[in-house]
Amino acid sequence: MDNGKLRALASDCVHCGFCLPACPTYALWGEEMDSPRGRIHLVTQVLDGAELTPAAAEHFDRCLGCMACMTACPSGVQYDRLIEAARAWTDDPAHAPAADTGTGTADIHEVAGVDGPGEASGGHATADVTGGAPAGGAQAGGPSAGGAPAGGAPACGAAACGAAARGAAARGAAARGIPVGGGRHRPWQDRAARAAIFAVFPYPRRLRALAAPLRVLQRTGLDRVVARSGLPGRVSPVLGAAMNLAPRPSASVPAGRLPERVPARGTRRAVVGMLTGCVQSVFFAEVNIATARVLAAEGCDVVIPRGQACCGALSLHSGRAGEAAGFARHAVETFEQTGVEAIVVNSAGCGSAMKEYADLLADDPAWAARAAAVSAKVRDFAEFLAGLFENSGGPVAARHPLPVRAAYHDACHLGHAQQITASPRALLGSIPGLELTEIPDAGMCCGSAGVYNLLQPEAARELGQRKAASVHQTGAPLLISANPGCSLQIASALEARGEAIAIAHTAEILDASIRGLPAPGSA
């Protein structure tokens, strides 16, 4: 996206402050530059010619990209486009607008002052798929619970934001050790960690190979011994976080691969493609199996292309736009060959990214139209079923009772980025005996956010603890989530509290009801 378009998007922000109490990092630290409003101001400063410094990059990196601010924003600011551009600048500073020190623009060393702490594919699972206001928020200038700005939320124009940032810099730069000035690049440790993550996680075979030794440790119980020693975290914070998040191996997933086509049961109502994902296919293969079974039970032929790879979500949401575009082109080519009516995605982050293909490849004449056509077919699992039932006479597969109380977690890239909140609840509400309860402060991110919990483990851990406490308040023995990262993050946070509840995907709950099996967490 060119600078003129970015400037126009940034100008949509009227500095009202409604985003502040919705923002997880502002809730944690109460610092203006770690709020959406502050980050938009930083974007504007860079567009005006200020140098992109490590301090400014740190503020961009601390954003989870949860898009809660977009839900809260009354002006419709497209913060997602702005933060993706800013992340691209920090990931590859050559893409940032050139600094112009002769324009009189405020030095970004001032406005980027120091706030807050320094910091898939073709699944290998086979089964019978045919069946048988937060602390510091409103008080610091966000809107009150009643919707009006609380306590006189400061109108943060350029001068106000600059003054706020300069004050933050004076308070915390030396104390928190965040660099203010110097080159544009991230520290080498951060670059190395990112390189390792993106060399592994988008590639299921590599991720599966890397997970194999961990599985051995988990089966012998040595993983807990190693974790308690603190050695992984001392070697690398990323390694320590990864070991804490890794799920226990599932004994319920058969070996093998999903077939390339799962036929509809009964009368065929649709032909759909299914994304198997990266993390999903390696760590949550049972979710893919359940997804295919439910779709087939509801009259869908399910096409699962063997050649599919990563959809690009992790790269796109981390500012690696070029890498994401490469993954997107492969996904477009793979799914357009199937001729399906819809592409069903059971991971919130992946679905959000695939719906952005049209924008991601808009400037590529050879791919723009193709990307737009594929992107238009992408549907979240719950979104697709809700539409199918509305247009084709409701569900055809009988639901058996599931007598269990469950809490439903809104994944940010489903609830905020895709604005899908009613469909999952309606599907779950149709199951006899299932009592659905809401989680307090449901709109606040759990701290997963793609690879955020690996790169910003301290902030992610605190957000995970808050979410785990909210889940605990429900008293439910079962948590339902539609995103693999959220499931890993919340499970880890609950385990750290000495608690354990069953966690399942919406598809798994529907599958259990259709097949007459007990729900996870039921007595």
Side-chain angles (χ1 to χ4, degrees), residues 484-511:
C486 298
S487 297
L488 292 173
Q489 172 77 357
I490 298 172
S492 175
L494 286 167
E495 184 176 356
R497 288 172 56 96
E499 301 171 7
I501 67 172
I503 300 179
H505 191 281
T506 307
E508 294 179 284
I509 302 303
L510 288 170
D511 183 46

Side-chain angles (χ1 to χ4, degrees), residues 208-287:
R208 194 173 286 112
L210 192 65
L214 177 61
R215 294 304 193 206
V216 174
L217 291 175
Q218 288 176 325
R219 290 190 175 96
T220 59
L222 290 176
D223 64 312
R224 300 184 188 278
V225 176
V226 173
R228 283 196 297 269
S229 74
L231 178 62
R234 290 197 295 272
V235 172
S236 164
V238 172
L239 179 61
M243 286 200 66
N244 288 334
L245 291 166
R248 313 300 298 179
S250 173
S252 63
V253 180
R257 302 173 70 97
L258 282 164
E260 292 188 65
R261 193 179 190 98
V262 180
R265 296 177 62 190
T267 302
R268 186 174 70 190
R269 301 201 284 179
V271 180
V272 304
M274 189 181 104
L275 181 78
T276 52
C278 302
V279 173
Q280 193 83 297
S281 66
V282 175
F283 292 122
F284 295 97
E286 61 273 18
V287 173

Side-chain angles (χ1 to χ4, degrees), residues 49 73 101 111 120 123 142 149 173 176 253 270 312 314 330 355 373 380 382 425 452 503 505:
C73 180
T101 57
V111 298
R176 289 167 179 146
V253 180
L314 292 178
H330 181 83
K355 289 180 178 181
D380 172 70
R425 288 171 169 80
Y452 187 91
I503 300 179
H505 191 281

